[in-house]
Amino acid sequence: MMISTKGRYALRFMIDVAQNQGDGYVPLKEAACRQDISEKYLEIIAKALVQNGLLQALRGKGGGYRLEKAPEEYSLRELLEATDGSLAPVACLEDGERGCARQAQCPTLSFWQGLERVIYEYTERFTLADLMDHGMPIKL
């Protein structure tokens, strides 16, 4: 499993919005400049975050983006899944998959299920607030 650029940029964008929204909205152009991310690419990411109910968008003068909830209420799992989809390490475990025809005799299935559980639990344990102060202590 590899987190895409879109997923990594989504985390950076959400941190930027959280740190700069104050009482208003964060213009996409300003966040793109601060984060050194293409404005066009960031529009795609922002759209996915809005569609998944993670950001509010306001068009026009004074518009931009703001968080839907407090930073400590966003798990990193939900932010990454909003842009990257499933964090499953193998295709047969992804949501909506019917499984593999060899699932009943697959000698590696329990390993992949365990890895998926570790990824899910680890990314669920941390929040946007944890990342806001330049990282977080490692909690294994």
Side-chain angles (χ1 to χ4, degrees):
M1 180 204 79
M2 188 161 177
I3 304 298
S4 72
T5 301
K6 191 184 290 187
R8 294 191 335 262
Y9 285 3
L11 293 181
R12 287 175 41 197
F13 178 53
M14 291 292 287
I15 293 166
D16 190 281
V17 170
Q19 292 174 331
N20 292 290
Q21 71 182 9
D23 291 326
Y25 287 81
V26 176
L28 185 82
K29 186 173 188 170
E30 292 177 14
C33 184
R34 280 190 297 270
Q35 295 302 316
D36 194 27
I37 300 171
S38 155
E39 196 173 337
K40 270 290 199 216
Y41 195 44
L42 200 52
E43 285 175 5
I44 295 166
I45 293 167
K47 182 178 179 181
L49 295 168
V50 169
Q51 288 174 338
N52 281 282
L54 302 172
L55 283 178
Q56 293 176 11
L58 180 67
R59 299 185 109 176
K61 186 174 171 95
Y65 297 90
R66 63 179 292 109
L67 300 182
E68 279 283 351
K69 51 191 178 182
E72 54 276 1
E73 295 178 50
Y74 290 94
S75 74
L76 298 187
R77 180 196 55 78
E78 74 179 316
L79 297 177
L80 291 170
E81 286 181 342
T83 53
D84 281 354
S86 171
L87 298 179
V90 291
C92 64
L93 296 178
E94 289 185 1
D95 292 338
E97 289 295 317
R98 291 182 294 166
C100 172
R102 296 182 39 81
Q103 191 169 0
Q105 67 267 14
C106 180
T108 63
L109 181 61
S110 62
F111 171 77
W112 297 125
Q113 289 170 328
L115 181 57
E116 179 182 41
R117 192 170 34 261
V118 169
I119 292 167
Y120 180 90
E121 290 171 1
Y122 189 78
T123 57
E124 185 66 25
R125 185 181 321 161
F126 296 103
T127 68
L128 184 60
D130 291 324
L131 295 183
M132 288 177 63
D133 294 323
H134 301 291
M136 59 198 173
I138 300 295
K139 300 178 193 174
L140 298 177

